[in-house]
Every structure is written in C-alpha cells, then in structure tokens.
Amino acid sequence: MLFRSYFDDKLAQYSYLVGCQRTGEAILIDPPRDVEPILADAKKEGLNVSAATETHIHADFVSGARQLAEKHGVKLYLSDEGDNDWKYQYTDNLDVQPLTDGDEFKIGNIKFEVMHTPGHTPESISLVLTDLGGGADKPMGIFTGDFVFVGDIGRPDLLEKAAGAAGTAETGAKSMFKSLQRFKELPDHMMVWPGHGAGSACGKSLGAVPQSTVGYEKQFNWALNENDEQKFIEELLKDQPEAPKYFAQMKKVNKLGPAIVEETSVEWFENAEEVVEFSKHDGNILIDTRQSKEAEKGLVPGSINIPFGKMLPNWAGWLVNYDEKIALVVEKDQAEEAMKILRSIHLDHVVKLADPSLIESVATETYQSVDTEEFAKQKDQTDYQVIDVRNDSEWNSGRIEGTEHKMLGHLRDAGKELDKNKPVLIHCQSGARSAIAASVMLSLGFDDVTHLNGGFNAWSNNRPKEVVTN
C-alpha cells in the first residue's frame, strides 16, 4: 500500500492519496480543487487515481471531487447520510456510489468501511482502512475528516452560524456525543488521519501534529474524556471562533457542484490609469497582495491590501463578495499561485492583474503605523475613533479601554457606520490584521487612518494598566 498526505498550510487542510501497489489503483480522500500535483505524484508511483471520496460536504474549501469525476473519469464514493438538505446535487451522469453506515468498498486490495459520524455535519462519515493486500485482517486506521482531530473535535455550529440553519448547533453537539461513543469502541492501535490541523476554523484548538492514534485521543482529547452529555455540549459550544463569512458559500458550492476549472489566461493591465478606473466601479474589487510594509507606503484608491500567503484565502473569503470582479496587484512570479489560492475558496472571477511597479504613480492612499506611545497620545484626543478588529474571544479576554469592537471580517460593512470626518485608530492582536483593516478603511473613504504596530500584544506589555478585562 502507498499512503501520502498533502497539507495545504493556507487552509490547514489535509488530503490523502492511498494506492494499492499490486493493482495500480488509487483513491484520493478529501481532494483539494487543485488536484493536478497529486495526480502527478500518483503517476510517478505507477498509480492510476480511479476513485475519490470525501468525508462530508466541506464548508472551508472547494472540493476537487467533481473536477476529478468530470475531467478524469474518476468514480466518486459520496455520503448518502443526512436529510435531503445535505445531499450532493451534481452527481447526475457521473459514476457515483452512495455511502451509508456499514457500507464497504475496495480500491484494489485496500478495504474501506463506512462509519456514519454525524455532529460536525449531518452527512459526515469516517472511513476505516484495512490493508488486505498487506495481509492484514484488522484495520490500520481511520480517516475522520472533521469528526476527530488531534486534540479536538469538529465544531457542530457551522450550519447554524454560517449556513443559517437555526437550532442545528445543539442538535449537532448531541449527535457528536453519540458519534464519539462509537469512536471509543475502536481499537487503540488504529491511526487517526484528520481532515484539518492547527489553523483551521473547523474546531477550537486543533493540534499541529498531522496524525494520532485512537488510543492517544482516548487518553488526551478533552472530548473523549467528558462522559456527561450536557457538560460535553456546553463545553463544545462554548467559545467557538466566528465562522468565516465564506463558509456558507463553500457549503453551497460543494453541495451543488463547484465550477470546473478550465485553463485560461488573465491579462495584465497596460497602464496605471486602467487600474484606477477598475477600482472605481461598483462590483469590482482590487486586491493588493503586497506585504503590508510595502502597501502602507501607497495604495491605489479603493483597493484592499491582503498580503500574499497564508492570510490571503481567509481574509479574501471574509472581505470579498462572490459577485465581485477581482483584479490583483501581484508580483508576476506569484500571480498563478495567488489565483489558485483564491480558486480554492471559489473566488474564480479574477479578471485582471497589475504588476506592483505599474501602480507606483497612482498609489496615493496611505495610512500611519505607530508604536504604543504614539497610539496612546492620539487615542486620548477626544475626536478619535479607536477600533479593535480582533475576533470575539480575543475581545472578551481583554481590550484597550475606550475602544469599539468591529471584527475585521465585517469591516467593509461595519466601517460604514463610523464618522468619516474623524480620524480612525485601529489595532488587532499583533498588527497583521489591523494593517488589512487600515486598507479597508481607506477604501471606504476615510483619509486619516492609523494602525498600531505590535497590536494588543504590544499595548498589554507596555501599558497593562490600561487593559480592560471582563
């Protein structure tokens, strides 16, 4: 058996390639949208990817399952659990085998047994792997998706918070408790291969270790050590992070079927005036992917700075509307990767690209970056608006006295409530998010914007007496 895992560090998402080396067949589990590198790996190993499966309808990234079926003729093994609201709706004319609890299927000499493990979502399944080709008669491990992580479990509140399904958070928590009782019955030796690692918003405190064992999780995962159902539900629902805005769109996209990615070329702007004109129009958004230290020296009016890298998919998902046409200010050697990152959350409408050198003459919008002492001086002036753009749990655990809370993900709308005639002071936890927030405020027409270098961390270290706690 060949086994490989693939980790997208921008989405904290795991995909898996499992192949039977005797028959040359392979399956992808929870495949990403950009699946070509994995297919190339399989080919190098003499494997043909003939199948794909996923543990549930994902809310945090675009699945590559439909792409594999449509473009590569791959057979799909998809959950048929849950009610009619959570059935796949793109499977007509595709080779699809529906899966329910207790079903088995084989890829070569590798057997997969389906466990229905609802809680994170109603249709969630886990897959128990047994390597028959290696002579095993007992399972090696389990692909848990967003059910059991290393040190944590999947959150049950996303359908309610992101998809608007009222009342499903507590129902999901109860289902999760029951699913975990089944998990506890599994042999301790079994490996646990989760769908996400540290950095994912699909749980509260996911571990950074890529895999675990059933026995280890039984001993050290908090959720498997809470035997009182009501206490478990209360703890699971408490302090879950805000559900990213784009999760609702992802759930819909993966249910109805993501658009098929076709090879296309995106043109580059030829002059700076075209970039400015693009940014002016409603329905367009110009994302500047330079690092914040460069972008703060000058931004095109109306643009938003989201740096290339790990921050790009998350904050683009929060701040960009899915019906907007997108242009990117991006280095030429990063352009293709930036578009792939955006496509991973179905932001497919990138219509133009701009080299950073092109915009120098029209990048006229600037904001200030100051230290805690200067921030404190400005804050004490009565005409300043002081905005904290951190998430709810950070705000609740401690904040600067006299601040307003407007989480970054909502700032394109919430920022409109502020007075454009008054200067704005912005901070986050470390300074990275507030730099994005500063660009958002400039794009809304505020012309006096300052952000705090080092954020709340620097403030609490240098001025701890001016921190308010609940």
Side-chain angles (χ1 to χ4, degrees):
M1 184 182 82
L2 181 138
F3 178 101
R4 286 199 182 156
S5 63
Y6 298 84
F7 185 63
D8 184 334
D9 64 349
K10 299 172 185 66
L11 296 168
Q13 183 254 333
Y14 285 106
S15 299
Y16 298 92
L17 170 68
V18 180
C20 176
Q21 291 166 305
R22 290 190 180 184
T23 66
E25 298 169 80
I27 186 171
L28 293 184
I29 298 164
D30 289 333
R33 196 178 195 191
D34 181 23
V35 77
E36 296 301 329
I38 304 178
L39 294 178
D41 263 5
K43 187 176 181 180
K44 284 180 187 177
E45 297 293 341
L47 295 171
N48 173 53
V49 175
S50 59
T53 185
E54 54 187 27
T55 52
H56 62 293
I57 300 173
H58 298 288
D60 54 315
F61 71 98
V62 180
S63 166
R66 186 185 186 193
Q67 185 85 12
L68 285 163
E70 295 271 8
K71 287 292 190 180
H72 300 280
V74 162
K75 180 174 182 176
L76 301 182
Y77 293 85
L78 300 175
S79 174
D80 196 31
E81 295 284 2
D83 59 34
N84 288 331
D85 289 336
W86 300 108
K87 302 292 187 184
Y88 292 88
Q89 296 183 11
Y90 63 84
T91 58
D92 289 351
N93 303 317
L94 297 179
D95 187 1
V96 178
Q97 180 171 324
L99 301 175
T100 56
D101 188 62
D103 285 349
E104 294 182 0
F105 63 93
K106 291 180 182 178
I107 303 300
N109 296 308
I110 303 166
K111 182 178 78 171
F112 294 88
E113 182 179 353
V114 178
M115 281 179 61
H116 182 213
T117 50
H120 177 65
T121 61
E123 81 287 353
S124 175
I125 58 174
S126 296
L127 299 164
V128 176
L129 179 152
T130 303
D131 183 14
L132 301 176
D137 60 0
K138 292 182 173 60
M140 175 187 289
I142 180 170
F143 297 94
T144 53
D146 290 18
F147 169 39
V148 174
F149 300 124
V150 178
D152 201 3
I153 58 173
R155 58 191 295 183
D157 60 324
L158 285 180
L159 294 183
E160 185 164 325
K161 290 183 177 177
T168 55
E170 185 160 346
T171 301
K174 289 179 179 178
S175 296
M176 180 66 80
F177 185 79
K178 292 176 182 176
S179 295
L180 289 173
Q181 307 321 303
R182 290 189 68 188
F183 181 87
K184 290 178 183 180
E185 296 172 1
L186 297 172
D188 287 357
H189 75 269
M190 283 177 57
M191 300 295 296
V192 174
W193 300 302
H196 294 287
S200 169
C202 291
K204 283 193 285 191
S205 53
L206 282 66
V209 177
Q211 60 189 27
S212 184
T213 65
V214 170
Y216 189 88
E217 294 308 309
K218 286 180 187 178
Q219 289 190 62
F220 301 111
N221 189 318
W222 74 268
L224 291 159
N225 286 284
E226 180 53 76
N227 296 314
D228 183 291
E229 183 176 12
Q230 190 54 42
K231 288 181 180 178
F232 169 85
I233 291 170
E234 290 172 1
E235 181 61 30
L236 180 56
L237 295 178
K238 183 177 70 177
D239 298 330
Q240 287 287 0
E242 288 202 50
K245 181 180 173 183
Y246 73 93
F247 275 23
Q249 182 73 12
M250 288 302 90
K251 197 75 175 173
K252 179 180 177 182
V253 161
N254 286 320
K255 173 183 169 181
L256 299 180
I260 301 302
V261 178
E262 305 287 357
E263 291 295 327
T264 57
S265 60
V266 179
E267 294 183 354
W268 292 79
F269 284 109
E270 295 183 0
N271 60 69
E273 289 69 28
E274 287 181 323
V275 183
V276 174
E277 192 61 31
F278 176 92
S279 190
K280 283 180 181 178
H281 286 285
D282 289 340
N284 292 349
I285 185 167
L286 178 63
I287 303 175
D288 191 326
T289 67
R290 293 176 297 163
Q291 297 306 301
S292 58
K293 288 297 182 185
E294 287 299 311
E296 73 176 67
K297 297 173 185 176
L299 288 155
V300 175
S303 66
I304 293 175
N305 172 223
I306 309 176
F308 177 85
K310 290 184 179 181
M311 300 182 81
L312 182 55
N314 183 50
W315 294 114
W318 271 106
L319 295 168
V320 178
N321 297 320
Y322 273 85
D323 57 356
E324 289 182 303
K325 293 180 180 178
I326 303 167
L328 301 178
V329 176
V330 62
E331 298 288 348
K332 289 195 173 179
D333 61 353
Q334 294 175 342
E336 187 58 40
E337 181 64 19
M339 288 189 286
K340 283 182 182 178
I341 290 171
L342 295 178
R343 285 198 297 267
S344 73
I345 59 168
H346 219 255
L347 287 173
D348 293 353
H349 302 305
V350 178
V351 296
K352 281 282 192 173
L353 303 170
D355 189 282
S357 62
L358 182 71
I359 65 165
E360 289 177 359
S361 62
V362 293
T364 56
E365 300 271 271
T366 60
Y367 60 88
Q368 283 187 292
S369 298
V370 298
D371 61 18
T372 54
E373 293 307 308
E374 181 59 30
F375 195 85
K377 289 178 186 176
Q378 295 188 29
K379 170 183 167 309
D380 290 338
Q381 298 181 35
T382 57
D383 62 344
Y384 275 83
Q385 302 168 99
V386 188
I387 308 303
D388 183 332
V389 298
R390 297 176 300 158
N391 62 36
D392 290 348
S393 61
E394 291 169 317
W395 165 264
N396 291 331
S397 66
R399 53 191 178 274
I400 299 173
E401 187 175 6
T403 57
E404 290 184 64
H405 184 218
K406 296 190 183 296
M407 187 263 188
L408 172 57
H410 304 298
L411 198 59
R412 280 188 80 189
D413 293 321
K416 296 172 184 176
E417 301 167 3
L418 300 173
D419 188 343
K420 290 183 181 179
N421 296 314
K422 293 182 179 180
V424 176
L425 300 175
I426 300 178
H427 78 278
C428 62
Q429 193 72 20
S430 66
R433 283 171 288 173
S434 58
I436 298 174
S439 73
V440 172
M441 297 308 293
L442 291 176
S443 76
L444 294 175
F446 291 80
D447 57 13
D448 192 342
V449 180
T450 300
H451 96 105
L452 173 60
N453 280 325
F456 184 77
N457 289 337
W459 184 274
S460 56
N461 287 333
N462 294 323
R463 307 175 75 90
K465 293 181 179 178
E466 297 177 60
V467 172
V468 178
T469 57
N470 288 343

